[in-house]
Amino acid sequence: MKIDILIVHFAVVAAVAVPYILFVLAAARQRKDLRSRFNSEAIALDLKLDWVDRWNSNIIGIDKTRQKVVFVQRRREEIVVQVIDLKIIKSSVLLHETATVKIDKKKEEVLQKVELELSMYNGDIQTISFFDCDMTYYQDYEMKNAEKWSQIIKESISFRPLVQSAA
């Protein structure tokens, strides 16, 4: 085989492999940044997380003894952190928004938003956005994860030990 053809083969392989490897390394760095931010928030709040889930650009965890939820999400180029104190939550409602899209002459429902709306005892409302099609272009069991965490939060706010004073 001639050296020229061998050089061309290596150049073609490098032209395909190098960008692929760079994309994989960039995505791994973003996941690592998200994980380290989540861990630093949990350490700063002195939480011992009983349950942690990771999907897409989201990490959520709950400390059932301290009644706190930490939610870290990558939105475009920023990382958003939400800390929810379950002691002040009155109720939670899972909201989702879909749009009807015509694909191949069939109407299909496409998920647009998935949010968990938390109502506080003082009347305020806090929203956890699990998915928004304007910020994230791909889905990874968003409804399943949102339903799961809605149930976990509902169970946590319904099971509050009552402290009664001894007479």
Side-chain angles (χ1 to χ4, degrees), residues 69-87:
V69 173
V70 178
F71 181 66
V72 178
Q73 181 180 55
R74 176 177 298 285
R75 293 184 186 164
R76 306 219 179 180
E77 296 302 318
E78 66 178 343
I79 294 178
V80 177
V81 178
Q82 287 181 290
V83 179
I84 298 113
D85 188 2
L86 296 176
K87 295 172 192 168

Side-chain angles (χ1 to χ4, degrees), residues 26-163:
R29 188 183 74 219
Q30 286 182 348
R31 282 192 304 271
K32 182 181 175 188
D33 291 346
L34 194 65
R35 242 188 335 256
S36 67
R37 180 70 184 267
F38 180 79
N39 290 335
S40 67
E41 290 293 329
I43 289 169
L45 296 167
D46 194 31
L47 299 178
K48 292 175 182 57
L49 299 170
D50 300 312
W51 194 275
V52 176
D53 270 342
R54 295 175 184 94
W55 73 95
N56 276 351
S57 300
N58 304 316
I59 302 177
I60 189 169
I62 187 169
D63 184 342
K64 291 186 178 181
T65 56
R66 291 190 183 246
Q67 291 282 299
K68 293 208 186 258
V69 173
V70 178
F71 181 66
V72 178
Q73 181 180 55
R74 176 177 298 285
R75 293 184 186 164
R76 306 219 179 180
E77 296 302 318
E78 66 178 343
I79 294 178
V80 177
V81 178
Q82 287 181 290
V83 179
I84 298 113
D85 188 2
L86 296 176
K87 295 172 192 168
I88 61 171
I89 304 293
K90 186 166 114 178
S91 65
S92 73
V93 178
L94 181 63
L95 305 172
H96 68 280
E97 182 180 317
T98 59
T100 305
V101 178
K102 201 171 194 179
I103 300 174
D104 294 332
K105 298 181 182 179
K106 291 182 185 178
K107 290 184 179 180
E108 292 190 26
E109 294 289 319
V110 177
L111 190 62
Q112 299 292 311
K113 283 186 180 183
V114 178
E115 296 177 332
L116 188 61
E117 186 177 88
L118 306 170
S119 300
M120 314 293 180
Y121 282 111
N122 64 3
D124 292 342
I125 293 178
Q126 185 174 0
T127 304
I128 302 174
S129 177
F130 285 107
F131 175 75
D132 189 350
C133 69
D134 294 331
M135 289 182 269
T136 307
Y137 301 112
Y138 51 92
Q139 297 178 25
D140 185 17
Y141 300 107
E142 304 300 333
M143 276 302 290
K144 178 183 164 194
N145 288 317
E147 288 170 351
K148 174 183 172 182
W149 277 94
S150 174
Q151 187 63 33
I152 289 171
I153 290 173
K154 281 181 182 179
E155 288 172 3
S156 295
I157 62 176
S158 68
F159 179 72
R160 291 192 181 125
L162 297 174
V163 178

